[in-house]
Amino acid sequence: MRIVVYFVPFLFGAFYRVLVQAFQQPFSHNPMASTIENFYQKTATAAMKDWPRDAVLYQPYEEEQILLAENASCLAVRTYLKMLNLPVALEQRANAEFMSPGGKRTKLPVLRVENFIYAEFDHIVTFLEKNFNKSLSAPLTPEEKDQMRSTNCLVEHLFTTAEQYVSWIDPEVRNTVTKKRNGCVFPFPLNHVQNWRKESAVRRQLRMADYLHEGIDTIMGEVDHLCQDLSSRLGDKRYFFGDSPTELDALVFGHLYSIFTMKLPNNVLALTIHKYSNLNQFCKNIDETYFSVKGK
C-alpha cells in the first residue's frame, strides 16, 4: 500500500513533465502544425503569382435554373472580374450550389483559382485583394472606402432579402416560377425535396432578418428608400465614385440588372426600381461597356 501511495504521485509527475515537454516543442516539429504552416505559406505565395489561366466560375444554368437572388450574386461577381480585367471560364452546373464551401446568403457563385475555392461576392472580393492584390477601391480615400463598404452591406442585405421574399413568399411567383426553375434539374421526387430544402433555408434567413412576416409593401418601401439613396449618390456620374468603377458598382449592377431582366408574374420589384432614370442609365452603361459583343 505504501509503495502504491509513493508510486501514484510519481506517475502523475512523469505524465505532467511529458505534457510540458510536448507543449514546449517548437511548433514546426508537430506534423499537423507543419501542414497548417505550409498551407498559410502557400496562401501567402499566391499573392506573388499572376492570375492563372484556368480560373473557373461556377453557377447554375442561367436560362432554366438560376433564381433571382442567385443570379444577382453571380452577375455581380462576373461584372467585378470583368472590371478587374481578370479572365475566367464560366461553367454552368446543375449542382453549383452544392459545390460551394458555404456563404451568408446565396452561396453562389463559386470561384476556383488553383487550389482555392471561394463563394459569394464579399468573400471573392476579399480573396482577390489579399492574394492577388486586385481591387477597384484602391484610389479611394479611407472615408470613401468606409462609405463604400457600408453601402455594400446595405445593398447586399436589402436587395437579396427583397429578391428572396418575392421568389419564395409571394405565392404566384413561388408556384409558377421559383419551384419550377429550382427543381427542374432534379428527377422526381428529388425536385420536391430540393424545393422544400431551399424554401426552408430562405424562410429561416428571412425570419432571422425579421422580414418573414412583413408585408410586400413594407419591403418595397425599404427598397424604394435604398434606391433613392443610390440615385442621389450616383447623380449624373457614370459610377458611384466618379469615372472609375468600384466594388459597389459591380454589386449594384448585379442586383438591378437581374431584377430588370428576370421575368416574373409579380414585377413589383422591377417597377419600384425602374422609376429612377439614372439607375436605369447606370445599368445600360455597364452592360454596354462590359457585356456587349464588342466588350466580350
Side-chain angles (χ1 to χ4, degrees):
M1 178 65 68
R2 187 174 300 176
I3 295 176
V4 173
V5 171
Y6 288 120
F7 188 64
V8 170
F10 171 78
L11 284 178
F12 277 105
F15 181 66
Y16 174 78
R17 286 192 295 272
V18 171
L19 286 178
V20 171
Q21 291 176 0
F23 280 103
Q24 287 178 343
Q25 291 292 327
F27 189 72
S28 59
H29 291 175
N30 188 330
M32 179 62 70
S34 299
T35 303
I36 296 174
E37 187 177 10
N38 291 337
F39 172 80
Y40 283 107
Q41 287 177 352
K42 185 175 181 180
T43 303
T45 306
M48 297 181 287
K49 293 182 179 180
D50 294 330
W51 182 254
R53 297 180 179 179
D54 59 348
V56 182
L57 192 69
Y58 299 99
Q59 70 169 55
Y61 289 110
E62 191 168 325
E63 292 297 327
E64 62 268 28
Q65 181 190 12
I66 199 168
L67 303 180
L68 178 56
E70 286 75 7
N71 188 63
S73 182
C74 293
L75 182 57
V77 171
R78 288 169 55 196
T79 305
Y80 186 66
L81 291 171
K82 283 181 175 290
M83 288 175 172
L84 287 171
N85 196 27
L86 296 178
V88 62
L90 179 64
E91 289 195 15
Q92 301 183 45
R93 299 283 187 88
N95 63 336
E97 181 182 351
F98 299 97
M99 299 168 60
S100 173
K104 294 180 292 184
R105 300 299 293 264
T106 64
K107 301 180 182 179
L108 291 168
V110 178
L111 176 66
R112 179 177 64 79
V113 179
E114 295 183 340
N115 295 326
F116 301 98
I117 299 178
Y118 285 84
E120 291 192 339
F121 184 83
D122 288 344
H123 295 157
I124 292 174
V125 168
T126 302
F127 167 71
L128 295 177
E129 183 175 2
K130 288 185 176 180
N131 292 279
F132 292 93
N133 197 28
K134 298 292 185 179
S135 174
L136 293 173
S137 58
L140 301 182
T141 65
E143 292 77 13
E144 288 175 331
K145 288 181 180 180
D146 290 339
Q147 184 183 27
M148 183 199 68
R149 293 189 187 103
S150 62
T151 307
N152 280 351
C153 292
L154 187 61
V155 166
E156 183 72 4
H157 173 69
L158 278 182
F159 277 138
T160 303
T161 296
E163 290 157 0
Q164 290 181 330
Y165 187 98
V166 170
S167 297
W168 288 101
I169 306 303
D170 183 278
E172 186 178 11
V173 177
R174 180 182 66 238
N175 296 328
T176 62
V177 177
T178 304
K179 286 187 174 181
K180 289 183 178 180
R181 291 181 66 88
N182 187 65
C184 70
V185 296
F186 302 98
F188 177 86
L190 188 58
N191 57 338
H192 294 288
V193 175
Q194 169 63 5
N195 281 333
W196 174 84
R197 185 199 66 81
K198 184 74 172 180
E199 183 176 356
S200 299
V202 170
R203 285 181 172 271
R204 183 165 57 251
Q205 290 179 4
L206 294 175
R207 185 182 300 110
M208 292 176 63
D210 293 329
Y211 283 102
L212 181 59
H213 301 294
E214 294 288 349
I216 188 68
D217 292 339
T218 301
I219 295 178
M220 290 305 107
E222 295 195 17
V223 170
D224 185 58
H225 183 74
L226 174 60
C227 289
Q228 289 179 23
D229 182 61
L230 291 175
S231 178
S232 176
R233 290 173 186 267
L234 182 62
D236 58 355
K237 301 189 298 293
R238 186 174 182 85
Y239 301 108
F240 284 101
F241 289 93
D243 296 328
S244 300
T246 63
E247 290 89 331
L248 179 60
D249 298 283
L251 184 61
V252 172
F253 172 77
H255 284 282
L256 295 185
Y257 193 84
S258 297
I259 292 171
F260 286 144
T261 56
M262 180 73 75
K263 295 181 180 180
L264 300 175
N266 184 350
N267 61 347
V268 60
L269 193 53
L271 291 175
T272 302
I273 298 171
H274 187 69
K275 59 186 178 182
Y276 297 96
S277 58
N278 61 342
L279 294 181
N280 284 264
Q281 185 61 43
F282 166 81
C283 290
K284 183 179 179 181
N285 291 338
I286 292 182
D287 182 38
E288 292 177 348
T289 302
Y290 297 101
F291 294 95
S292 66
V293 176
K294 182 179 179 180
K296 291 179 181 179

